[in-house]
């Protein structure tokens, strides 16, 4: 099958760039130093590639992601890096399951659901989940008192991972990890789980880095000067042209939009509609796009995670050849 | 089944509000005066409700939407209100199919695909698809010369439908429709297809209005003072609370984000992550939200179309009861 034969819009991944990204990360964070996050690609075929490179512990943000990883034989050490009040689906899995807890309620949910291992999730500066530092020790005691094994702490420096300047990113990460170190001193355990693609080589505390975006990347992360390159685009067809602009058939229902408009090389994107992106040649580009009806264009998403979640299939391509087609099989909840 | 029993996040629709919206539109635009747009809800069960109210002609933005409508027995008069270069899937359907064309290439694609009827799509001010006014007559002649039946014109005033002030919306709609009337004078045919939820009662030219959002609505359209009320929300569970804010389990992968953050009654939404929304009680609200872990919250999307496209199922609820569960069966392309 050729890329040209695929119906548009569809997700395409450059196979060599993916290999490069996976290898670069495996060199930097070998084996258990990386706990790949399944939420970015929602694809067990990609997780198998990561496992083949030595990363055998995974994390996910939803029960569905962990169920799918377990069913795919990747259940050696799965972490729900998120809070849940219904752990029963996880407790039933034939896999080693750990869940993040940040409250009495989530501890009780883990117990009720038959989950046996937890991490104490600590707020390290991102206003999202995670307990206050001063509660970490108390929650660990509570969890142990309820018969749970407390493996350690988790704390996601999500407010740091996207900062464009490396030095600022490092400072924000360090400040966050100082909090997590203090929490770990209260909690104990061998695991300090943190980090993301933007801080993978800046986080000096975590025993394991939770990174997912590095494999496919997006235009937001591409601005950070990381050693990973954008591998994923939405393949689209130009369906209409007018004086000064053109329109392709990828839009709001094939692109995550929270980080803004996608990019098209040699063009300026004007706006996206449900099934369209309107763009114009960029006169400042070295190679302004000369789009004609029927041309294929590559639309590069600003945020990979919510982009992938719209699609059923991810096509791995090498030049013009589609070498594999992977199901995006971890979608939903 | 009770709403409380559904796993979160999930799509919920208030059955009575939906009935109100469908009935209000059927009164304003009875029968063929409305051509419901399937792209908003991507759900044949909802389309059946619209057909039962007398609207038997539908439009869609993708081949998949038309295939699904035809398979559901709703193929009396289906319009692809969009350009395509591969009409072969449409030509094969056991349904009356019309496609929008705006170029020689899309006309040839209709012919090659076995489609027999077209509308000439005219740019009426929104820089997206549609030919220039001065090309409309030439394209109609070309289409007729290739054996196609030209039913008339289409022109979407998408730059008008969202204008907050009714008077400004009317002016923009009138200006757009003056262009479409001029195109229609060149093209002929009995159909003038245009409009949307925001101009459903302002568009004095169109023989049929293409509206879809009116059935479910969203927070963006709710600001326009239309007689339709928001019916669709994402049901979510509070999974974490901290001093000053709380977090629920609906995020970027269950909400279309191109119109901005969703709304939560009695709260201010701070930001969304992949599977989370962080919010705080709104002190200026009459009933500031006091969210506790385990509470359900209703997250109202800013844009309904790309929200629905993330979900497999849409649950119709009446108070605490789930009265029906509808497959979002027109997703994909």
């Amino acid at each position: 099958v050729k890329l040209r034969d695929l119906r548009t819009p569809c997700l395409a991944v450059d196979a060599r760039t993916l290999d490069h990204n996976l290898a670069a990360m495996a060199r930097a964070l070998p084996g258990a130093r990386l706990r790949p996050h399944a939420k970015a690609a929602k694809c067990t075929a990609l997780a198998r590639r990561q496992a083949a490179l030595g990363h055998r512990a995974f994390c996910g943000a939803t029960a569905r992601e962990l169920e799918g990883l377990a069913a795919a034989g990747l259940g050696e050490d799965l972490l729900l890096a998120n809070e849940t009040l219904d752990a029963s689906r996880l407790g039933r899995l034939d896999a080693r399951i750990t869940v993040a807890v940040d409250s009495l309620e989530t501890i009780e949910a883990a117990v009720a659901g038959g989950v046996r291992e937890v991490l104490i999730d600590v707020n390290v500066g991102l206003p999202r989940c995670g307990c206050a530092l001063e509660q970490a020790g108390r929650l660990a005691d509570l969890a142990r008192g309820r018969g749970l094994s407390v493996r350690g702490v988790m704390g996601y420096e999500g407010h740091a991972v996207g900062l464009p300047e490396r030095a600022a990113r490092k400072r924000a990460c360090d400040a966050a990890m100082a909090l997590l170190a203090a929490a770990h001193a209260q909690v104990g355990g061998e695991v300090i789980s943190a980090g993301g693609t933007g801080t993978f080589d800046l986080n000096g505390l975590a025993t394991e880095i939770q990174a997912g975006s590095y494999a496919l990347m997006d235009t937001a992360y591409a601005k950070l000067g990381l050693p990973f390159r954008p591998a994923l685009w939405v393949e689209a067809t130009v369906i209409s042209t007018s004086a000064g602009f053109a329109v392709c058939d990828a839009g709001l229902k094939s692109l995550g939009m929270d980080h803004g408009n996608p990019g098209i090389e040699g063009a300026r994107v004007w706006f996206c509609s449900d099934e369209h992106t309107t763009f114009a040649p960029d006169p400042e580009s070295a190679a302004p796009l000369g789009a004609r009806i029927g041309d294929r264009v590559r639309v590069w998403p600003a945020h990979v995670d919510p982009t992938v979640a719209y699609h059923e299939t991810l096509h791995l391509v090498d030049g013009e050849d589609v070498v594999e087609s992977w199901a995006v099989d971890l979608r939903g909840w």
Side-chain angles (χ1 to χ4, degrees), chain A:
Chain A
V1 181
K2 300 289 183 187
L3 180 55
R4 181 77 219 183
D5 301 325
L6 299 176
R7 275 186 208 154
T8 57
C10 66
L11 277 188
V13 172
D14 186 80
R16 292 176 193 204
T17 306
L18 173 63
D19 284 346
H20 163 86
N21 291 346
L22 294 178
M25 183 62 98
R27 275 193 304 274
L29 297 174
R33 288 279 292 126
L34 182 78
R35 184 186 282 276
H37 210 314
K39 78 184 172 86
K42 286 186 173 285
C43 177
T44 52
L46 176 53
R48 279 200 196 90
R49 287 273 180 107
Q50 292 167 315
L53 286 166
H55 315 299
R56 302 188 181 283
F58 289 88
C59 57
T62 65
R64 175 76 196 93
E65 288 165 9
L66 266 57
E67 284 177 341
L69 289 167
L74 298 169
E76 194 174 305
D77 182 358
L78 299 180
L79 166 65
L80 184 73
N82 195 0
E83 274 58 26
T84 185
L85 297 173
D86 176 11
S88 60
R89 291 160 67 196
L90 301 177
R92 282 195 292 268
L93 294 178
D94 181 21
R96 180 181 185 183
I97 299 291
T98 303
V99 301
V101 295
D102 68 355
S103 63
L104 177 60
E105 291 86 345
T106 47
I107 288 170
E108 290 299 339
V111 172
V115 166
R116 292 204 294 260
E117 300 185 279
V118 297
L119 294 181
I120 305 298
D121 187 6
V122 183
N123 182 334
V124 295
L126 176 73
R128 206 169 70 186
C129 297
C131 69
L133 168 58
E134 52 274 21
Q135 298 293 325
R138 187 183 71 92
L139 287 174
D141 293 343
L142 270 169
R144 292 190 175 105
R146 298 293 279 117
L148 295 168
S149 168
V150 178
R151 294 181 68 185
V153 294
M154 172 178 127
Y156 178 51
E157 69 274 27
H159 55 301
V161 296
L163 295 176
E165 276 189 80
R166 184 172 168 87
R169 209 152 70 237
K170 171 81 174 141
R171 279 194 303 274
C173 181
D174 286 349
M177 290 306 108
L179 292 171
L180 193 57
H184 184 247
Q186 297 174 36
V187 170
E190 77 280 14
V191 175
I192 304 177
S193 195
T197 293
T199 55
F200 83 102
D201 64 344
L202 295 175
N203 190 312
L205 179 75
T207 59
E208 57 179 40
I209 297 288
Q210 296 178 9
S213 300
Y214 78 97
L216 300 177
M217 291 290 283
D218 53 40
T219 64
Y221 262 132
K223 293 174 185 155
L224 301 197
L226 304 172
F228 316 113
R229 300 193 294 255
L232 174 133
W233 69 92
V234 177
E235 180 86 359
T237 302
V238 175
I239 56 170
S240 182
T241 60
S242 292
F245 65 89
V247 180
C248 69
D249 62 356
L252 302 175
K253 288 170 182 167
S254 48
L255 293 160
M257 294 298 293
D258 61 296
H259 285 182
N261 283 338
I264 297 177
E265 220 175 313
R268 286 181 183 161
V269 169
W270 288 6
F271 67 99
C272 296
S273 309
D274 279 344
E275 303 287 359
H276 307 97
T277 294
T278 297
F279 61 96
D282 180 357
E284 291 177 20
S285 163
L289 193 65
R292 291 165 310 176
I293 295 172
D295 281 357
R296 289 293 179 98
V297 290
R298 297 183 175 194
V299 183
W300 299 87
H303 192 185
V304 65
D305 306 44
T307 295
V308 174
Y310 272 128
H311 296 263
E312 286 175 29
T313 311
L314 183 160
H315 301 282
L316 210 61
V317 304
D318 183 358
E320 290 305 307
D321 296 319
V322 179
V323 292
E324 288 187 58
S325 292
W326 291 345
V328 185
D329 52 354
L330 304 178
R331 302 197 300 164
W333 294 277

